Amino acid sequence: GQPLGVLDGIPIAVKDNFNTAGIETTCASNMLKGYISPYNATVVQKLLDQGAVLLGKTNLDEFAMGSGSTDGVFGPVRNPWSYSRQYKEKSVSKSRSEDEESNWVITGGSSGGSAAAVSSFTCFAALGSDTGGSTRNPAAHCGVVGLKPTYGLISRHGLIPLVNSMDVPGILTRCVDDAAVMLGSLAGHDPKDSTTIQENFKPFELPDLTDVSKLSIGIPKEYHAPGLSGEILALWSKAADLFKNAGAKVIDVSLPHTHYSIVCYHVLCTAEVASNMARFDGLEYGHRSDMNESTESMYAATRREGFNDVVRGRILSGNYFLLKQNYENYFIKAQKVRRLIANDFVKVFRSGVDILLTPTTLSDAVPYMEFIKEDNRTRSAQDDILTQAVNMAGLPAINVPTALSERGLPVGLQFIGRSFQEKQLLTVAKWFEKQVKFPMIQLEEVKRLDHGVFQHEKSASFS
């Protein structure tokens, strides 16, 4: 009979790499099939304490390694926009049933299940994790808001680690205001996570920004990445013009070490993966092989049976980079490059730039059959190119759904803010969201009885 908090009765979903007491946590892997955690992740506990209702756990790439949500043991996640009127009207189909089976598009990853849940009105908000873009990438493909907070603002306790120095719990919602509410409930110091900020976090309400003339928006030239679609390039320019016409100062900036970031990211990522995955040995928890000739053979068989090719591949790469003869040439060098990448952002923000505006993804979502033609490593290297530098610098970033592509699929743009300046970042994102009026997904099966429920009924002329 007592109100618990601002999230009372709000349905939420949680990515299946956050521990949930009494509920299976699998990381979409055979290695953790049937594993039930004895405790809640801090973020899950905070949501429940605020009155949120957990609807379920969401699908992902195995151990969050991927950019399509196609590599988990539960199978791929389908993008709800595949079944939208907007996409169906644009996609030319031979026959309807064939089209349904072969023409559906991916959600992006690795938090694809969470993005799909929010996008399809299954829940109001969902938790994802973001190591190299795993919240912002699916948010862009599913037409939702995806926030990656500053490293250390939200506790990682109970998030099964991928890359400890880059992992951040991410927030997926349908509008920027909701993301601010979620952030207010989750952020702050956690004694169980030594990397969280020490001071208490004060939740904030986002002001309605009317005057952007004092803002300085940076456009990093290095984000004109190879493979960036003409459509997204045009939207990016249009968004910059939108700020310029409203009186903001829009300037071209340079982040010179961006070109090295994806290679640097993969060295550091696989090295930490190799270290983190060592805990799955078949002894304490998770899958254990029946092979009992020796402890070593049990270890080897357990890991062969429990991990998929993607995870095993990253473990092998990481161990190679960490070998005594390679450590200096790969791991130490990558750490130095990471510092240079972080310094690029520091210099740009010191020069007076408030927010950086970039694309989130290279294109809109691709059909599943096309996506799986290339292996996970190649896909991740392409799809993380615009997002992972932010993780290496520990900065906050948000994807804001911007327009529909020519194929009727969502396209988003990314805003990158200064460290711990979430309020400014979200305020600018909210202003932008209001200007573009991203159209609501029209799922053919969903009959909209109350037109007043949804904010953005009509698509603006932005696209």
Side-chain angles (χ1 to χ4, degrees):
Q2 293 295 314
L4 294 174
V6 291
L7 298 177
D8 252 337
I10 300 293
I12 53 129
V14 170
K15 187 176 179 180
D16 200 18
N17 58 348
F18 287 92
N19 281 319
T20 41
I23 301 167
E24 200 176 5
T25 300
T26 68
C27 288
S29 174
N30 281 322
M31 186 56 94
L32 285 175
K33 187 179 180 184
Y35 170 69
I36 294 178
S37 167
Y39 68 95
N40 279 324
T42 296
V43 282
V44 173
Q45 192 59 53
K46 281 188 169 186
L47 291 176
L48 297 176
D49 290 346
Q50 289 279 317
V53 179
L54 176 62
L55 285 186
K57 305 292 286 288
T58 60
N59 201 354
L60 63 154
D61 287 297
E62 182 161 330
F63 282 103
M65 296 184 205
S67 61
S69 300
T70 56
D71 283 314
V73 292
F74 301 111
V77 186
R78 298 189 179 208
N79 192 326
W81 283 84
S82 311
Y83 307 97
S84 69
R85 195 171 297 142
Q86 291 102 317
Y87 177 62
K88 285 183 173 176
E89 283 170 0
K90 299 280 173 72
S91 60
V92 183
S93 57
K94 302 165 199 163
S95 79
R96 190 160 182 150
S97 59
E98 256 182 69
D99 180 45
E100 296 256 318
E101 275 318 298
S102 64
N103 216 21
W104 58 274
V105 297
I106 59 152
T107 53
S110 63
S111 308
S114 291
V118 174
S119 174
S120 59
F121 309 114
T122 308
C123 57
F124 276 92
L127 286 180
S129 61
D130 197 310
T131 307
S134 289
T135 295
R136 291 157 288 153
N137 176 300
H141 287 325
C142 294
V144 296
V145 170
L147 172 65
K148 175 238 173 268
T150 306
Y151 183 84
L153 187 62
I154 295 184
S155 171
R156 292 182 295 113
H157 174 71
L159 165 61
I160 292 171
L162 178 64
V163 182
N164 303 58
S165 69
M166 297 183 212
D167 291 346
V168 181
I171 294 166
L172 292 137
T173 56
R174 280 199 291 278
C175 68
V176 178
D177 273 320
D178 286 357
V181 172
M182 284 285 285
L183 183 68
S185 300
L186 298 174
H189 177 66
D190 178 14
K192 296 185 179 120
D193 177 3
S194 61
T195 60
T196 50
I197 52 165
Q198 290 304 307
E199 60 270 17
N200 286 327
F201 178 82
K202 289 185 177 64
F204 51 78
E205 266 188 45
L206 292 181
D208 279 320
L209 192 63
T210 48
D211 178 21
V212 294
S213 62
K214 291 187 178 70
L215 273 183
S216 177
I217 307 289
I219 310 290
K221 62 181 185 187
E222 287 80 9
Y223 281 67
H224 284 268
L228 187 65
S229 77
E231 230 178 336
I232 290 188
L233 194 56
L235 270 180
W236 188 18
S237 300
K238 213 175 259 190
D241 291 341
L242 190 70
F243 278 99
K244 198 180 283 180
N245 296 338
K249 188 177 168 191
V250 177
I251 50 173
D252 289 328
V253 296
S254 177
L255 300 163
H257 296 95
T258 302
H259 298 304
Y260 310 111
S261 67
I262 194 74
V263 181
C264 172
Y265 170 75
H266 276 285
V267 172
L268 296 174
C269 173
T270 53
E272 290 200 42
V273 162
S275 169
N276 275 323
M277 295 294 136
R279 73 192 68 196
F280 300 106
D281 54 13
L283 291 179
E284 294 90 355
Y285 46 76
H287 173 70
R288 180 188 290 198
S289 172
D290 296 332
M291 182 80 70
N292 53 13
E293 289 164 23
S294 69
T295 308
E296 281 74 19
S297 66
M298 190 273 287
Y299 277 169
T302 294
R303 290 163 75 78
R304 185 177 66 248
E305 293 162 15
F307 292 137
N308 70 3
D309 291 346
V310 175
V311 178
R312 289 205 300 267
R314 290 205 195 185
I315 292 170
L316 285 169
S317 301
N319 281 323
Y320 175 79
F321 296 139
L322 292 172
L323 286 172
K324 190 178 178 184
Q325 62 266 37
N326 297 333
Y327 187 75
E328 289 280 337
N329 285 339
Y330 291 101
F331 187 71
I332 296 295
K333 197 175 278 183
Q335 291 282 36
K336 289 175 179 174
V337 174
R338 178 180 183 174
R339 170 64 61 202
L340 294 173
I341 291 163
N343 284 344
D344 282 350
F345 285 106
V346 170
K347 283 175 192 163
V348 163
F349 287 127
R350 276 197 187 141
S351 73
V353 170
D354 296 303
I355 301 282
L356 293 170
L357 171 63
T358 77
T360 310
T361 53
L362 293 171
S363 67
D364 58 5
V366 296
Y368 172 68
M369 298 312 290
E370 193 181 312
F371 185 82
I372 56 172
K373 284 177 186 169
E374 293 192 42
D375 64 283
N376 177 294
R377 198 165 60 92
T378 309
R379 279 293 181 191
S380 296
Q382 291 166 348
D383 298 338
D384 293 344
I385 203 146
L386 303 167
T387 50
Q388 41 69 40
V390 170
N391 293 77
M392 290 202 284
L395 298 172
I398 188 169
N399 171 77
V400 181
T402 304
L404 295 184
S405 68
E406 286 165 7
R407 297 192 302 144
L409 292 171
V411 173
L413 291 176
Q414 174 178 236
F415 292 89
I416 303 168
R418 300 164 189 254
S419 214
F420 297 107
Q421 296 299 311
E422 268 75 4
K423 186 172 183 179
Q424 184 186 42
L425 177 68
L426 288 164
T427 302
V428 173
K430 181 181 174 180
W431 179 87
F432 182 72
E433 178 185 62
K434 271 189 166 175
Q435 309 307 307
V436 297
K437 296 187 176 68
F438 183 75
M440 193 180 76
I441 186 171
Q442 294 169 4
L443 292 168
E444 293 188 334
E445 292 73 20
V446 179
K447 290 187 168 60
R448 286 178 293 154
L449 300 173
D450 182 1
H451 289 273
V453 171
F454 302 105
Q455 283 180 315
H456 310 312
E457 277 299 320
K458 293 186 176 68
S459 169
S461 57
F462 189 79
S463 54

